[in-house]
Amino acid sequence: MMSIPVAVEEVIKKKPFLEGALVDGLINLSALARQLKPEVEQKIGKPVNDSAVIMALNRLVPRLELVSTMKIRKVVENMGDIIVRSNLADYTFINTSTLYTLQAKLLNQVNSLKNVFCTFSQGIYETTLVVSDSIVPLVEEIFVNERLICKNTDLSLITVKLPSDNTLCPGVYYCLFKELAWDNINVVEVISTSNEFTIVVSDEDIHRAFSILMEVKRNIVNER
């Protein structure tokens, strides 16, 4: 049979914003316990007291704080350059046998151009191109016969350099994306490699998104 602390932890883990608010001390535990009690009772299969749920929350919060404080803060504190690029568009196409040849054709033509951004993000069923506005006509000419799923314009991106140990630390992306989501910033695309990630947002959100990421790093450094 599942214990009350385990049940409470499982419920909290399914609510990431709630987890963050608990760590920040923004939630009344008594009120939260009453709200969580039906889910906890369903998991353990019997009635529970509010006080038992409150006790489980009291034990859980320090552990959440420890994970947040120790590992994630170290990675965020050591973030490298944050680079912004504007005047972008993105296209998403269904993967086809001809798409890969056309990608190579596009890269060959833009290879000699200066100050042009062009990247591909390939999934199992579809591929997204994020490109500078200046080569939009070229993209539409080359991929004219491909099946377009969606197109977005008036975009900007932010690339963040991460320390090499970021891949060993669960929750790094959550820490950053949570702050963007709290400010109602929609992330259009995410492009990542081992030690850097890029988010694509609308032009109207780029200044807020950049400020938020800088503020996250600044706050962690100041809390040392």
Side-chain angles (χ1 to χ4, degrees):
M1 181 182 296
M2 183 180 294
S3 67
I4 293 176
V6 171
V8 169
E9 183 172 354
E10 285 194 0
V11 173
I12 294 297
K13 283 184 176 180
K14 293 179 181 178
K15 306 175 187 293
F17 286 105
L18 184 57
E19 182 178 332
L22 276 172
V23 171
D24 293 335
L26 302 177
I27 294 181
N28 180 291
L29 295 186
S30 297
L32 177 60
R34 290 193 295 271
Q35 182 180 347
L36 297 181
K37 190 169 75 166
E39 290 184 72
V40 173
E41 290 177 335
Q42 185 178 13
K43 283 184 174 294
I44 67 175
K46 66 179 183 179
V48 299
N49 296 322
D50 289 358
S51 58
V53 180
I54 293 172
M55 184 178 298
L57 287 170
N58 277 319
R59 292 176 178 174
L60 177 62
V61 170
R63 190 146 56 87
L64 293 176
E65 290 175 340
L66 181 63
V67 172
S68 174
T69 301
M70 298 294 291
K71 294 182 178 180
I72 297 177
R73 289 175 181 271
K74 181 180 178 182
V75 171
V76 175
E77 178 185 349
N78 291 307
M79 285 195 313
D81 295 337
I82 299 178
I83 301 169
V84 175
R85 181 184 286 268
S86 57
N87 300 319
L88 301 172
D90 84 341
Y91 295 79
T92 299
F93 298 98
I94 293 289
N95 286 344
T96 64
S97 58
T98 57
L99 187 65
Y100 312 116
T101 302
L102 298 179
Q103 291 179 43
K105 181 178 180 180
L106 176 63
L107 289 175
N108 285 334
Q109 295 198 33
V110 303
N111 186 50
S112 60
L113 301 178
K114 294 182 179 180
N115 299 319
V116 169
F117 184 84
C118 179
T119 187
F120 300 90
S121 180
Q122 182 180 325
I124 297 174
Y125 302 108
E126 57 192 42
T127 295
T128 293
L129 288 68
V130 181
V131 299
S132 297
D133 286 346
S134 60
I135 63 169
V136 161
L138 181 59
V139 170
E140 296 188 347
E141 176 187 341
I142 292 176
F143 294 89
V144 63
N145 294 320
E146 295 299 312
R147 184 177 172 186
L148 179 68
I149 298 175
C150 66
K151 171 186 175 182
N152 294 297
T153 57
D154 302 318
L155 301 176
S156 297
L157 65 77
I158 300 175
T159 297
V160 179
K161 187 73 170 65
L162 296 172
S164 59
D165 59 350
N166 82 90
T167 55
L168 303 176
C169 179
V172 174
Y173 284 2
Y174 165 71
C175 174
L176 301 174
F177 285 104
K178 175 188 68 175
E179 299 296 331
L180 296 172
W182 269 113
D183 210 61
N184 201 34
I185 292 176
N186 180 49
V187 177
V188 178
E189 301 287 351
V190 179
I191 306 163
S192 68
T193 60
S194 292
N195 299 316
E196 67 180 53
F197 76 91
T198 296
I199 59 170
V200 181
V201 300
S202 66
D203 285 342
E204 63 183 19
D205 289 333
I206 188 64
H207 296 297
R208 285 191 299 136
F210 177 78
S211 297
I212 287 169
L213 293 177
M214 290 297 297
E215 189 68 18
V216 171
K217 180 176 181 179
R218 188 179 302 113
N219 286 341
I220 288 178
V221 171
N222 291 338
E223 288 175 5
R224 292 184 59 186

